[in-house]
Amino acid sequence: MSDDFFQPVSGFELPRFAGVPTFMRLPHVPLEHERLGEVDIGLIGVPWDSGTTNRPGPRHGPRQLRDASTMIRAQHATSGMRPFEAVNCADLGDVGPNPADIMDSMERITAFYDKVKAAGIRPLTAGGDHLTSLPVLRALAKDAPLGMVHFDSHTDLFHSYFNGTMYTHGTPFRRAVEEGLLDPKRVVQIGIRGTMYDSEDRDFARAEGIRIIEIEEFHARGVEDVMAEAREIAGDGETYVSYDIDFVDPTFAPGTGTPEVGGPNSFQALQVCRELQGLNIVGADMVEVSPPFDQSGGTAFLGVSIMFEILCVMAGQAG
């Protein structure tokens, strides 16, 4: 049972437009804080988009996501879950990247998450572009490879970009498999669609045993059936959840760098998270929210609503 220190500020006590924004109005507990060891789930910002190859902006995602998250309340509307009472949650702040150096930034991110893991905290991350997932996985999967449930319109399994650039937002999971951070036979990618450069990424997935569920199959089968298979693939082992906001149709989430039409609606975007129940989730992320392409903040609010859904599942497995 979470104590009062870890309770979010209520909108009945302080208007949601007032105060210093933290994720979901939780206390800010930096890594040096005396109560860090009491945190069960830590919300973390990674304001970094140096892996972006076209439309930039996700470096501004964590700030807008934090601001939007002041609208998140204490109780899930359908399950009744009250995650902030089930476990101790806190905003652990941002990882400070080096925007001029990809390799240095990844080292900084991994070092931050090494400390998070050592403290026994499960991270819920707000990116950042999708390359963010790789240095996070380097910390979380040090002991053994993880399974992964990946919501996206792209596989992010390419070998390289621009004649040998190995680290972009289109390559993180290729590197993660090569580095032994992911068990490919316990990885499922859901929602894949859009025009293609070629079939290299899908050929790699096929060769390694990664399950790709393209959007046509997703729509034909429905959320419950698809997610039942996803849970079966991930199994009982430790699992990472990576959620690219461009999984959602751009009608509902225009604020992203590489939108693809034909995706799920905003309700389905929440439903898939609810069907993660039962998985052993050791970490999760929400990436590719790009505020310059949706200054209304609607994409960010959907993003933090998805984060709350994932948080409720993570809190339920520990509570």
Side-chain angles (χ1 to χ4, degrees):
M1 188 75 172
S2 180
D3 68 26
D4 290 342
F5 175 81
F6 291 103
Q7 293 304 302
V9 177
S10 170
F12 289 158
E13 298 171 7
L14 182 70
R16 297 187 182 278
F17 53 80
V20 176
T22 58
F23 279 120
M24 304 183 192
R25 311 193 97 190
L26 290 164
H28 177 213
V29 179
L31 295 185
E32 302 78 18
H33 198 281
E34 61 183 4
R35 301 196 68 171
L36 180 71
E38 300 175 51
V39 177
D40 298 304
I41 298 175
L43 286 78
I44 302 165
V46 183
W48 180 61
D49 61 5
S50 295
T52 301
T53 58
N54 185 23
R55 304 198 308 177
R59 67 181 60 185
H60 303 293
R63 183 166 292 184
Q64 193 185 46
L65 286 160
R66 272 194 179 89
D67 192 33
S69 76
T70 63
M71 283 300 298
I72 298 297
R73 301 177 183 87
Q75 181 168 316
H76 192 283
T78 58
S79 71
M81 165 60 73
R82 298 178 66 85
F84 311 119
E85 295 179 6
V87 293
N88 290 341
C89 302
D91 186 333
L92 305 189
D94 283 351
V95 182
N98 177 349
D101 190 322
I102 285 180
M103 304 307 287
D104 182 46
S105 289
M106 289 198 292
E107 289 176 4
R108 292 174 182 223
I109 295 166
T110 299
F112 187 102
Y113 282 81
D114 280 339
K115 295 177 182 178
V116 171
K117 183 181 179 183
I121 299 169
R122 288 176 293 148
L124 176 55
T125 302
D129 70 41
H130 222 147
L131 185 57
T132 299
S133 301
L134 178 60
V136 174
L137 287 168
R138 286 174 173 170
L140 299 186
K142 270 190 166 64
D143 301 327
L146 305 176
M148 182 174 70
V149 180
H150 174 203
F151 302 104
D152 206 325
S153 60
H154 313 100
T155 66
D156 298 344
L157 289 173
F158 280 95
H159 177 267
S160 60
Y161 279 49
F162 306 108
N163 297 318
T165 300
M166 306 297 281
Y167 299 101
T168 78
H169 64 170
T171 68
F173 301 126
R174 179 74 162 256
R175 299 290 88 81
V177 171
E178 292 170 347
E179 295 178 23
L181 308 176
L182 292 175
D183 175 355
K185 293 181 173 54
R186 294 184 53 230
V187 172
V188 56
Q189 301 184 312
I190 303 168
I192 308 304
R193 61 188 186 275
T195 57
M196 302 162 58
Y197 294 109
D198 53 36
S199 62
E200 179 217 330
D201 56 334
R202 288 161 174 77
D203 293 342
F204 176 81
R206 190 177 304 109
E208 295 291 331
I210 294 171
R211 171 73 164 112
I212 294 177
I213 299 177
E214 296 181 351
I215 198 63
E216 291 81 6
E217 182 178 355
F218 176 86
H219 285 310
R221 293 174 57 189
V223 169
E224 289 187 6
D225 191 34
V226 165
M227 292 307 298
E229 182 184 357
R231 292 193 303 273
E232 183 178 353
I233 290 168
D236 298 329
E238 294 187 341
T239 298
Y240 191 76
V241 175
S242 191
Y243 202 124
D244 188 324
I245 197 66
D246 72 31
F247 168 72
V248 188
D249 191 90
T251 302
F252 305 94
T256 190
T258 316
E260 302 287 357
V261 299
N265 62 34
S266 58
F267 181 60
Q268 291 169 316
L270 305 180
Q271 281 183 301
V272 294
C273 299
R274 297 171 188 178
E275 295 293 329
L276 295 168
Q277 196 72 47
L279 292 179
N280 180 10
I281 300 173
V282 297
D285 62 47
M286 160 56 61
V287 298
E288 298 284 0
V289 172
S290 184
F293 297 105
D294 185 7
Q295 295 182 24
S296 74
T299 302
F301 184 56
L302 176 57
V304 296
S305 298
I306 291 165
M307 289 177 68
F308 182 73
E309 294 284 346
I310 296 172
L311 176 66
C312 285
V313 174
M314 294 173 70
Q317 74 185 55

